[in-house]
Amino acid sequence: MNHEALPKARAFEAQYGPFITDAQRPVFHLTPTIGWMNDPNGFSCYRGEYHLFYQYHPYSTDWGPMHWGHAKTRDFLHWQRLPAALAPDQEYDKDGCFSGSAVEMPDGRQLLVYTGVHKRLTEDGRMTEIQTQCVAFGDGVNYEKWPGNPVLDAASLPAGGSTVDFRDPKVWREPDGTLRLVVGNRTADGSGAILLYRSEDGVHWTLVGPVDASRNQYGRMWECPDFFPLDGKQILFVSPQEMSPIGLEFHAGNGTVCLIGSYDAAANRFTREKVQAIDYGIDFYAPQTLAAPDGRRIMIGWMQNWNTLSCRENNQRWFGQMSLPRELSVRGGRLFQNPVRELEQYRCRPVTYQNVLVCGETTLAGVEGRTIDLTVEIRPAAADLYRCFRLQIAKDGTYLTTIRYRPDTSVLKIDRTHSGSNADVVHSRSLLVPPRDGRLKLRLILDRYSVEIFANDGETAATMAIFTRQEATAISFDAEGSVLMNVEKYDIDLNRKEDSDV
Ligand code: FRU
């Protein structure tokens, strides 16, 4: 046991975090207090505020023994930093407090459920990792690990379940007051399954059974599950490792998969109806959702991918960002996602254009910036379909980020080859975006280090991190053939709401 681990992390972040100025961070996307951030954890409502924890290694901008960083918000955009919540300080979690989740208990405490990791030497001399599920109770700032930890271990697994890959519990409360959690596990076929457990008190858990499994179809290990009802359907989110690419739907490596179906809780039977990617861009992983008191289901993801970690700005003292929280819905059997509506309170300096004829490169006065909410809607200007439409953002004489659409194939290509990183990693992705009534509508949310694209009112989302210097603010439009375009652009200013309240 290492009682110093948490006070040490808290002292470190308090001393060195303030060296990172606001100008060095995104304006409204959460970054770690200092050091490294990966998955969102414990995204939940507690005592009327939204809490978000995250996988955290304060001491460097690389992954290391996992702590839980902590922040809270009332509007999903202004984040208040809180001291680190968990550190690897017990025998059962000495090698990391991995991903997990949170829920408010009836007695007012906040329950954290996380994966405790410890390494062990096997009989034949190999180092192996043991993953168990552990809990801690707290008041929104300070947490105490349950003396009876772990609450789920090898004995809680169905036959053939791996003790090495058993992680990322997502907990919630059912309307009858009982608790459920889903957790990722590797099965005997080497690929992932999601297990469901139930509990009355958060510390004694019973296996209900598996909810679904990859069977080596959608990647190998399934990480970071979430399981919730939405618009009359049941949704299972998983973040698979080692995906095989499938057309333009799933790319290789770490992906995000949304399984939409129906769920018979009495029989614990989840019936898949549709399987789709959650985000089709480059940087989005391990999303987690919360149920807001107003009924919205809101998702946040790690705006990064394990395979592109070298795409970064090397002199930063932080690495890893959270996505913008997104409102989810199911329409026509498909997952839709749109920026949280709170963003609209901070939009200012609107610039709009209607029916602009684009046939060649065009710029529009007032349409530029790196912290903006930009909607572009295009349709063919002539009976002949245009061949290609290009939108270039974060642009100057050297840099640009391109979003290109070909209406004949409905392929949208996002490309950050010239967006500030010379790392030899994936810099582009193609995705299918069928037009609606012959039109394409793209909403782009730009912050200093990211682009999030919501196509056709949230039918498809694609996210990427960019590291282009901040001076590159220009935006241009270009068409081969002719296009009629409407543009609506706002700057995002987080101080705006306070100003107008005065
Ligand atoms: C997903 C993940 C989780 C794990 C955590 C460790 O990105 O691999 O499965 O809990 O990161 O930091």
Side-chain angles (χ1 to χ4, degrees), residues 443-454:
R443 182 170 174 199
L444 277 71
I445 308 297
L446 267 63
D447 199 347
R448 290 188 178 130
Y449 300 100
S450 60
V451 185
E452 292 169 273
I453 302 169
F454 302 89

Side-chain angles (χ1 to χ4, degrees), residues 261-281:
S262 59
Y263 183 57
D264 174 352
N268 183 38
R269 189 178 305 113
F270 175 68
T271 310
R272 283 186 203 172
E273 289 163 12
K274 185 180 163 90
V275 184
Q276 66 164 98
I278 300 174
D279 189 289
Y280 293 78

Side-chain angles (χ1 to χ4, degrees), residues 68-87:
W68 275 33
H70 192 187
K72 65 179 183 178
T73 181
R74 286 180 184 276
D75 64 4
F76 299 108
L77 295 148
H78 287 91
W79 293 97
Q80 183 189 338
R81 295 182 182 285
L82 294 168
L86 298 176

Side-chain angles (χ1 to χ4, degrees), residues 389-403:
F389 173 77
R390 247 188 315 269
L391 168 60
Q392 295 187 325
I393 56 175
K395 189 174 177 183
D396 62 9
T398 309
Y399 297 109
L400 49 84
T401 303
T402 304
I403 293 124

Side-chain angles (χ1 to χ4, degrees), residues 150-183:
V151 297
L152 291 176
D153 60 12
S156 326
L157 285 168
S162 162
T163 54
V164 178
D165 289 299
F166 181 31
R167 60 181 174 272
D168 312 333
K170 173 70 201 286
V171 65
W172 71 93
R173 185 175 303 284
E174 285 287 313
D176 70 0
T178 58
L179 295 169
R180 299 284 183 286
L181 73 74
V182 282
V183 58

Side-chain angles (χ1 to χ4, degrees), residues 13-130:
E13 61 182 5
Q15 185 173 355
Y16 299 113
F19 282 94
I20 309 176
T21 64
D22 285 350
Q24 293 166 335
R25 295 182 185 273
V27 173
F28 52 95
H29 289 80
L30 184 68
T31 46
T33 302
I34 185 166
W36 163 278
M37 161 196 275
N38 61 286
D39 313 354
N41 295 159
F43 188 41
S44 59
C45 196
Y46 178 63
R47 295 187 181 162
E49 294 177 303
Y50 301 109
H51 282 249
L52 179 66
F53 305 81
Y54 51 89
Q55 289 286 279
Y56 184 35
H57 184 240
Y59 304 112
S60 78
T61 52
D62 296 310
W63 191 87
M66 280 291 108
H67 297 57
W68 275 33
H70 192 187
K72 65 179 183 178
T73 181
R74 286 180 184 276
D75 64 4
F76 299 108
L77 295 148
H78 287 91
W79 293 97
Q80 183 189 338
R81 295 182 182 285
L82 294 168
L86 298 176
D89 54 11
Q90 305 290 320
E91 194 49 38
Y92 53 82
D93 65 14
K94 67 181 171 54
D95 294 299
C97 300
F98 276 19
S99 283
S101 52
V103 71
E104 184 164 345
M105 295 299 283
D107 63 7
R109 291 179 302 167
Q110 192 177 28
L111 171 72
L112 308 184
V113 190
Y114 69 99
T115 301
V117 178
H118 68 276
K119 290 189 178 145
R120 211 156 56 193
L121 206 57
T122 59
E123 275 173 12
D124 60 351
R126 282 175 297 121
M127 194 53 94
T128 186
E129 225 174 68
I130 304 294

